[in-house]
Amino acid sequence: MKKVKKAIIPAAGLGTRFLPATKTVPKELFPLVDRPLLLYVIEEAIAAGIEDIVIVAGRGKTAIEDFFDRSYELEDTLAKSGKTDLLEKISKIKNMANIISIRQKEALGLGHAVLCGAPVIGDEPFAVLLGDEIMLGRPSVTEELCQAYDKTGFSTVAIMEVPESDVSKYGIVKVSPNGSTFKIHNVAEKPSVKEAASRWALPGRYVFESQLFSYLKNTKPGKNGEIQLTDGMNGLAAEGRLYGTTFQAKRFDAGDKFGFLQANIEIGLQHPETSARLKTYLQELTRGWK
Ligand code: G1P
């Protein structure tokens, strides 16, 4: 059985939850302290053994490609001024993995964005990591999914339980327990609490067999008029080839204002240059709060 060596990171969304900031800056490049969101996602993929990473971006997101390219002027200036530590940091980025850039010409939905990566994936299994979901901690979620795929050969996706109030923000799965994992019978994109089969939600980490593409090709626009990844996944579920698993990492929805702030605080508390001062600041700030 083939190992999971390729991943798709869809980064074509318009980032409307972060306007006006996202008017010219892709949300995937927003910093968590000093590193863009996308770098955390890419590192998660690399930690799982992924070698080729396809970034599917839309119009107005060329800064993402530039981020993984050489920056001659900056590198030259840093070299001349002896800032070797900074130079090393930015030089490392372009050698991290094999980054392949694909343009989604129309924002037709997440399922369509994933389908844009099909020519690079071919008939191999692949991971999908949503660019605004940040998972901190090891083992990485993608690593856990790849291990599950290695054992079973079935598409396996991360699932998490959410409160009722959040059900309508996610793809929701109908599951039955299957040893340490769950068999997924059906997926619904952002159902109302009344329609939802459970509170088990998709937090944006998936490992798929390439068969998913054949379903996505035939997927018609669904929720919000978009070609939904979840609708394509239903093809795999109907064949009994879709499983769900919980995960150990801590997850932040950094595409949302509150989740973004949380992730920044969490990483700021771990960062050697900010941790001590941030901790003291938070203690001072919250002293006397109820
Ligand atoms: C997308 C998916 C949804 C998933 C969610 C996780 O929705 O369509 O199934 O649960 O990501 O963040 P979006 O948040 O892009 O609207």
Side-chain angles (χ1 to χ4, degrees):
M1 202 171 61
K2 285 181 183 159
K3 291 238 167 214
V4 185
K5 292 284 172 203
K6 295 180 176 175
I8 299 177
I9 301 182
L14 298 175
T16 44
R17 285 187 286 174
F18 262 111
L19 280 170
T22 42
K23 187 160 180 264
T24 49
V25 180
K27 69 177 168 192
E28 292 80 8
L29 294 184
F30 283 8
L32 293 177
V33 185
D34 54 1
R35 290 142 49 80
L37 289 178
L38 191 58
L39 216 45
Y40 291 87
V41 179
I42 287 180
E43 279 174 354
E44 180 187 329
I46 292 171
I50 304 288
E51 292 167 0
D52 297 326
I53 298 176
V54 185
I55 300 180
V56 182
R59 240 185 316 282
K61 297 229 177 171
T62 46
I64 294 181
E65 280 179 27
D66 294 343
F67 185 77
F68 293 99
D69 202 350
R70 287 205 70 161
S71 178
Y72 289 103
E73 202 180 348
L74 179 62
E75 287 173 37
D76 187 54
T77 308
L78 291 175
K80 281 186 180 142
S81 54
K83 294 188 171 150
T84 44
D85 51 335
L86 284 178
L87 182 61
E88 204 181 301
K89 263 188 200 168
I90 66 153
S91 303
K92 250 194 199 164
I93 292 168
K94 59 180 185 295
N95 302 324
M96 281 181 82
N98 187 19
I99 307 281
I100 301 145
S101 199
I102 288 189
R103 176 75 78 101
Q104 185 192 26
K105 297 193 189 78
E106 265 184 279
L108 297 179
L110 181 60
H112 179 261
V114 170
L115 188 56
C116 288
V120 179
I121 304 297
D123 62 359
E124 293 187 35
F126 64 103
V128 174
L129 296 87
L130 299 193
D132 53 9
E133 295 274 354
I134 296 297
M135 310 286 189
L136 299 178
R138 292 287 180 268
S140 81
V141 183
T142 302
E143 202 177 334
E144 290 192 271
L145 295 179
C146 291
Q147 281 165 1
Y149 174 80
D150 281 347
K151 270 196 218 145
T152 64
F154 291 133
S155 298
T156 307
V157 302
I159 56 171
M160 62 177 186
E161 261 191 308
V162 295
E164 270 193 356
S165 53
D166 283 352
V167 157
S168 62
K169 295 182 188 163
Y170 295 98
I172 297 290
V173 291
K174 183 177 178 196
V175 287
S176 60
N178 179 71
S180 59
T181 59
F182 295 81
K183 184 164 190 174
I184 297 179
H185 302 282
N186 175 265
V187 196
E189 182 65 17
K190 305 193 180 88
S192 66
V193 179
K194 268 192 187 161
E195 294 158 349
S198 75
R199 288 195 290 112
W200 286 103
L202 299 170
R205 292 293 186 273
Y206 320 79
V207 164
F208 293 119
E209 301 163 83
S210 58
Q211 229 170 342
L212 174 77
F213 293 129
S214 60
Y215 292 113
L216 282 176
K217 270 180 204 148
N218 296 314
T219 298
K220 303 265 173 309
K223 188 95 183 180
N224 302 330
E226 293 179 0
I227 297 173
Q228 297 291 351
L229 177 60
T230 37
D231 289 339
M233 287 164 67
N234 270 323
L236 295 171
E239 272 193 74
R241 300 187 68 86
L242 186 63
Y243 286 80
T245 180
T246 54
F247 54 92
Q248 297 175 53
K250 210 166 172 182
R251 173 237 172 211
F252 299 92
D253 177 6
D256 165 77
K257 293 179 191 67
F258 183 69
F260 177 71
L261 289 174
Q262 274 181 311
N264 251 308
I265 292 171
E266 192 83 17
I267 289 167
L269 285 171
Q270 291 167 15
H271 195 292
E273 286 171 45
T274 54
S275 67
R277 279 162 62 201
L278 183 59
K279 198 171 175 190
T280 310
Y281 174 70
L282 289 174
Q283 278 163 349
E284 281 170 8
L285 193 69
T286 53
R287 198 167 294 146
W289 283 8
K290 285 200 180 151

Short mmCIF file of all heavy atoms in Angstrom, two decimals, residues 11-48:
data_model
loop_
_atom_site.label_atom_id
_atom_site.label_comp_id
_atom_site.label_asym_id
_atom_site.label_seq_id
_atom_site.Cartn_x
_atom_site.Cartn_y
_atom_site.Cartn_z
N ALA A 11 -6.15 27.24 0.12
CA ALA A 11 -5.97 28.56 0.71
C ALA A 11 -6.61 29.60 -0.22
O ALA A 11 -6.04 30.64 -0.49
CB ALA A 11 -4.48 28.84 0.89
N ALA A 12 -7.78 29.24 -0.72
CA ALA A 12 -8.39 30.09 -1.73
C ALA A 12 -9.56 30.92 -1.18
O ALA A 12 -10.15 31.72 -1.90
CB ALA A 12 -8.87 29.22 -2.90
N GLY A 13 -9.85 30.74 0.10
CA GLY A 13 -11.01 31.45 0.68
C GLY A 13 -10.81 32.96 0.68
O GLY A 13 -9.68 33.45 0.63
N LEU A 14 -11.92 33.68 0.75
CA LEU A 14 -11.84 35.14 0.68
C LEU A 14 -11.55 35.77 2.05
O LEU A 14 -11.27 36.96 2.14
CB LEU A 14 -13.16 35.70 0.12
CG LEU A 14 -13.49 35.25 -1.31
CD1 LEU A 14 -14.86 35.76 -1.73
CD2 LEU A 14 -12.42 35.74 -2.30
N GLY A 15 -11.64 34.99 3.10
CA GLY A 15 -11.30 35.51 4.43
C GLY A 15 -12.25 36.59 4.92
O GLY A 15 -11.84 37.53 5.59
N THR A 16 -13.54 36.43 4.59
CA THR A 16 -14.49 37.50 4.92
C THR A 16 -14.63 37.74 6.44
O THR A 16 -14.95 38.85 6.85
CB THR A 16 -15.90 37.19 4.34
OG1 THR A 16 -16.18 35.82 4.60
CG2 THR A 16 -15.94 37.44 2.85
N ARG A 17 -14.33 36.71 7.24
CA ARG A 17 -14.46 36.89 8.70
C ARG A 17 -13.39 37.84 9.23
O ARG A 17 -13.46 38.28 10.37
CB ARG A 17 -14.35 35.55 9.42
CG ARG A 17 -15.61 34.70 9.28
CD ARG A 17 -15.54 33.46 10.13
NE ARG A 17 -14.63 32.46 9.61
CZ ARG A 17 -14.30 31.33 10.24
NH1 ARG A 17 -14.80 31.09 11.42
NH2 ARG A 17 -13.46 30.47 9.70
N PHE A 18 -12.40 38.16 8.39
CA PHE A 18 -11.30 39.02 8.84
C PHE A 18 -11.18 40.30 8.03
O PHE A 18 -10.12 40.93 8.03
CB PHE A 18 -9.97 38.26 8.78
CG PHE A 18 -9.56 37.71 10.11
CD1 PHE A 18 -9.56 36.35 10.35
CD2 PHE A 18 -9.18 38.56 11.13
CE1 PHE A 18 -9.17 35.84 11.58
CE2 PHE A 18 -8.79 38.08 12.36
CZ PHE A 18 -8.79 36.70 12.58
N LEU A 19 -12.25 40.68 7.34
CA LEU A 19 -12.20 41.97 6.63
C LEU A 19 -12.21 43.10 7.65
O LEU A 19 -12.83 42.94 8.70
CB LEU A 19 -13.42 42.08 5.69
CG LEU A 19 -13.26 41.32 4.36
CD1 LEU A 19 -14.59 41.28 3.62
CD2 LEU A 19 -12.18 41.94 3.48
N PRO A 20 -11.54 44.22 7.45
CA PRO A 20 -10.85 44.59 6.23
C PRO A 20 -9.41 44.05 6.10
O PRO A 20 -8.79 44.22 5.06
CB PRO A 20 -10.82 46.11 6.30
CG PRO A 20 -10.78 46.41 7.75
CD PRO A 20 -11.58 45.32 8.42
N ALA A 21 -8.89 43.37 7.17
CA ALA A 21 -7.48 42.96 7.12
C ALA A 21 -7.18 42.09 5.90
O ALA A 21 -6.10 42.19 5.30
CB ALA A 21 -7.11 42.21 8.40
N THR A 22 -8.14 41.24 5.51
CA THR A 22 -7.89 40.29 4.41
C THR A 22 -8.09 40.89 3.03
O THR A 22 -8.01 40.18 2.03
CB THR A 22 -8.81 39.07 4.57
OG1 THR A 22 -10.10 39.54 4.93
CG2 THR A 22 -8.29 38.10 5.59
N LYS A 23 -8.37 42.20 2.96
CA LYS A 23 -8.58 42.80 1.65
C LYS A 23 -7.33 42.63 0.78
O LYS A 23 -7.41 42.30 -0.40
CB LYS A 23 -8.95 44.28 1.80
CG LYS A 23 -9.33 44.92 0.51
CD LYS A 23 -10.13 46.18 0.70
CE LYS A 23 -10.48 46.77 -0.65
NZ LYS A 23 -9.55 47.81 -1.06
N THR A 24 -6.15 42.83 1.39
CA THR A 24 -4.91 42.69 0.61
C THR A 24 -3.95 41.65 1.17
O THR A 24 -3.02 41.25 0.48
CB THR A 24 -4.16 44.04 0.54
OG1 THR A 24 -4.07 44.56 1.86
CG2 THR A 24 -4.86 45.03 -0.36
N VAL A 25 -4.17 41.21 2.42
CA VAL A 25 -3.25 40.22 3.00
C VAL A 25 -4.00 38.90 3.18
O VAL A 25 -5.02 38.86 3.86
CB VAL A 25 -2.72 40.69 4.38
CG1 VAL A 25 -1.77 39.66 4.98
CG2 VAL A 25 -2.05 42.03 4.27
N PRO A 26 -3.51 37.81 2.57
CA PRO A 26 -4.18 36.51 2.76
C PRO A 26 -4.16 36.11 4.23
O PRO A 26 -3.13 36.28 4.89
CB PRO A 26 -3.33 35.53 1.94
CG PRO A 26 -2.43 36.35 1.10
CD PRO A 26 -2.32 37.71 1.71
N LYS A 27 -5.29 35.60 4.72
CA LYS A 27 -5.33 35.26 6.16
C LYS A 27 -4.30 34.18 6.50
O LYS A 27 -3.81 34.12 7.61
CB LYS A 27 -6.74 34.83 6.59
CG LYS A 27 -7.19 33.51 6.04
CD LYS A 27 -8.55 33.11 6.56
CE LYS A 27 -9.03 31.92 5.73
NZ LYS A 27 -10.38 31.55 5.85
N GLU A 28 -3.95 33.36 5.51
CA GLU A 28 -2.96 32.30 5.76
C GLU A 28 -1.58 32.87 6.12
O GLU A 28 -0.74 32.17 6.64
CB GLU A 28 -2.82 31.40 4.52
CG GLU A 28 -4.03 30.56 4.20
CD GLU A 28 -5.14 31.33 3.49
OE1 GLU A 28 -4.92 32.50 3.09
OE2 GLU A 28 -6.23 30.76 3.32
N LEU A 29 -1.38 34.17 5.82
CA LEU A 29 -0.09 34.79 6.15
C LEU A 29 -0.16 35.65 7.41
O LEU A 29 0.82 36.29 7.78
CB LEU A 29 0.43 35.61 4.97
CG LEU A 29 0.80 34.80 3.72
CD1 LEU A 29 1.41 35.71 2.65
CD2 LEU A 29 1.78 33.67 4.05
N PHE A 30 -1.32 35.66 8.07
CA PHE A 30 -1.39 36.39 9.34
C PHE A 30 -0.40 35.75 10.32
O PHE A 30 -0.28 34.52 10.35
CB PHE A 30 -2.79 36.27 9.95
CG PHE A 30 -3.82 37.14 9.32
CD1 PHE A 30 -3.56 37.87 8.18
CD2 PHE A 30 -5.09 37.24 9.90
CE1 PHE A 30 -4.53 38.68 7.61
CE2 PHE A 30 -6.06 38.04 9.33
CZ PHE A 30 -5.79 38.75 8.19
N PRO A 31 0.28 36.57 11.13
CA PRO A 31 1.28 35.97 12.02
C PRO A 31 0.70 35.45 13.33
O PRO A 31 -0.18 36.06 13.93
CB PRO A 31 2.24 37.12 12.28
CG PRO A 31 1.42 38.35 12.14
CD PRO A 31 0.31 38.04 11.18
N LEU A 32 1.22 34.31 13.75
CA LEU A 32 1.06 33.87 15.14
C LEU A 32 2.41 34.19 15.75
O LEU A 32 3.40 33.52 15.46
CB LEU A 32 0.74 32.38 15.20
CG LEU A 32 -0.63 31.98 14.64
CD1 LEU A 32 -0.83 30.48 14.67
CD2 LEU A 32 -1.77 32.67 15.38
N VAL A 33 2.47 35.25 16.49
CA VAL A 33 3.69 35.89 16.98
C VAL A 33 4.58 36.29 15.77
O VAL A 33 4.36 37.36 15.24
CB VAL A 33 4.44 35.04 18.02
CG1 VAL A 33 5.64 35.83 18.58
CG2 VAL A 33 3.51 34.70 19.18
N ASP A 34 5.49 35.46 15.30
CA ASP A 34 6.34 35.92 14.19
C ASP A 34 6.33 34.98 12.99
O ASP A 34 7.13 35.14 12.07
CB ASP A 34 7.79 36.13 14.68
CG ASP A 34 8.35 34.89 15.36
OD1 ASP A 34 7.64 33.88 15.45
OD2 ASP A 34 9.51 34.94 15.83
N ARG A 35 5.42 34.00 12.99
CA ARG A 35 5.39 33.07 11.87
C ARG A 35 3.98 32.97 11.33
O ARG A 35 3.02 32.90 12.11
CB ARG A 35 5.87 31.69 12.32
CG ARG A 35 7.38 31.63 12.63
CD ARG A 35 7.70 30.76 13.83
NE ARG A 35 7.04 29.47 13.74
CZ ARG A 35 7.49 28.46 12.99
NH1 ARG A 35 8.61 28.60 12.32
NH2 ARG A 35 6.86 27.33 12.95
N PRO A 36 3.83 32.96 10.00
CA PRO A 36 2.47 32.92 9.46
C PRO A 36 1.74 31.60 9.73
O PRO A 36 2.39 30.55 9.84
CB PRO A 36 2.67 33.12 7.96
CG PRO A 36 4.08 32.83 7.69
CD PRO A 36 4.85 33.07 8.96
N LEU A 37 0.44 31.69 9.83
CA LEU A 37 -0.42 30.52 10.05
C LEU A 37 0.00 29.35 9.17
O LEU A 37 0.12 28.21 9.61
CB LEU A 37 -1.87 30.86 9.66
CG LEU A 37 -2.67 31.81 10.53
CD1 LEU A 37 -4.04 32.03 9.92
CD2 LEU A 37 -2.79 31.24 11.91
N LEU A 38 0.21 29.66 7.89
CA LEU A 38 0.49 28.62 6.91
C LEU A 38 1.73 27.78 7.26
O LEU A 38 1.78 26.59 6.98
CB LEU A 38 0.68 29.27 5.54
CG LEU A 38 0.71 28.37 4.33
CD1 LEU A 38 -0.54 27.54 4.22
CD2 LEU A 38 0.88 29.20 3.06
N LEU A 39 2.70 28.42 7.90
CA LEU A 39 3.92 27.71 8.25
C LEU A 39 3.65 26.62 9.29
O LEU A 39 4.24 25.54 9.25
CB LEU A 39 4.95 28.72 8.78
CG LEU A 39 6.41 28.50 8.46
CD1 LEU A 39 6.62 28.14 7.00
CD2 LEU A 39 7.21 29.74 8.82
N TYR A 40 2.75 26.92 10.21
CA TYR A 40 2.40 25.91 11.22
C TYR A 40 1.73 24.70 10.56
O TYR A 40 1.98 23.55 10.92
CB TYR A 40 1.43 26.50 12.27
CG TYR A 40 2.09 27.52 13.15
CD1 TYR A 40 2.14 28.86 12.78
CD2 TYR A 40 2.69 27.16 14.35
CE1 TYR A 40 2.76 29.81 13.58
CE2 TYR A 40 3.31 28.10 15.16
CZ TYR A 40 3.34 29.42 14.77
OH TYR A 40 3.97 30.35 15.56
N VAL A 41 0.88 25.00 9.58
CA VAL A 41 0.15 23.93 8.89
C VAL A 41 1.13 23.08 8.08
O VAL A 41 1.07 21.85 8.08
CB VAL A 41 -0.97 24.54 8.00
CG1 VAL A 41 -1.72 23.45 7.27
CG2 VAL A 41 -1.92 25.36 8.85
N ILE A 42 2.06 23.76 7.42
CA ILE A 42 3.06 23.04 6.61
C ILE A 42 3.96 22.19 7.50
O ILE A 42 4.28 21.04 7.19
CB ILE A 42 3.87 24.04 5.75
CG1 ILE A 42 2.95 24.53 4.63
CG2 ILE A 42 5.14 23.43 5.21
CD1 ILE A 42 3.56 25.52 3.70
N GLU A 43 4.33 22.73 8.64
CA GLU A 43 5.17 21.95 9.57
C GLU A 43 4.43 20.72 10.08
O GLU A 43 5.04 19.67 10.28
CB GLU A 43 5.62 22.83 10.73
CG GLU A 43 6.80 23.68 10.33
CD GLU A 43 7.22 24.67 11.38
OE1 GLU A 43 6.53 24.80 12.41
OE2 GLU A 43 8.23 25.34 11.17
N GLU A 44 3.13 20.88 10.28
CA GLU A 44 2.33 19.71 10.70
C GLU A 44 2.40 18.62 9.62
O GLU A 44 2.58 17.44 9.93
CB GLU A 44 0.87 20.13 10.94
CG GLU A 44 0.01 18.96 11.38
CD GLU A 44 -1.47 19.29 11.46
OE1 GLU A 44 -1.83 20.44 11.75
OE2 GLU A 44 -2.26 18.35 11.24
N ALA A 45 2.27 19.04 8.38
CA ALA A 45 2.31 18.08 7.27
C ALA A 45 3.68 17.40 7.20
O ALA A 45 3.78 16.17 7.09
CB ALA A 45 1.99 18.79 5.96
N ILE A 46 4.74 18.20 7.31
CA ILE A 46 6.10 17.64 7.22
C ILE A 46 6.34 16.64 8.36
O ILE A 46 6.92 15.56 8.15
CB ILE A 46 7.14 18.78 7.23
CG1 ILE A 46 7.02 19.59 5.93
CG2 ILE A 46 8.56 18.23 7.37
CD1 ILE A 46 7.85 20.86 5.90
N ALA A 47 5.85 16.99 9.56
CA ALA A 47 6.03 16.09 10.71
C ALA A 47 5.35 14.75 10.48
O ALA A 47 5.69 13.74 11.09
CB ALA A 47 5.48 16.75 11.98
N ALA A 48 4.37 14.73 9.56
CA ALA A 48 3.65 13.49 9.26
C ALA A 48 4.31 12.72 8.11
O ALA A 48 3.78 11.70 7.67
CB ALA A 48 2.20 13.82 8.92
#
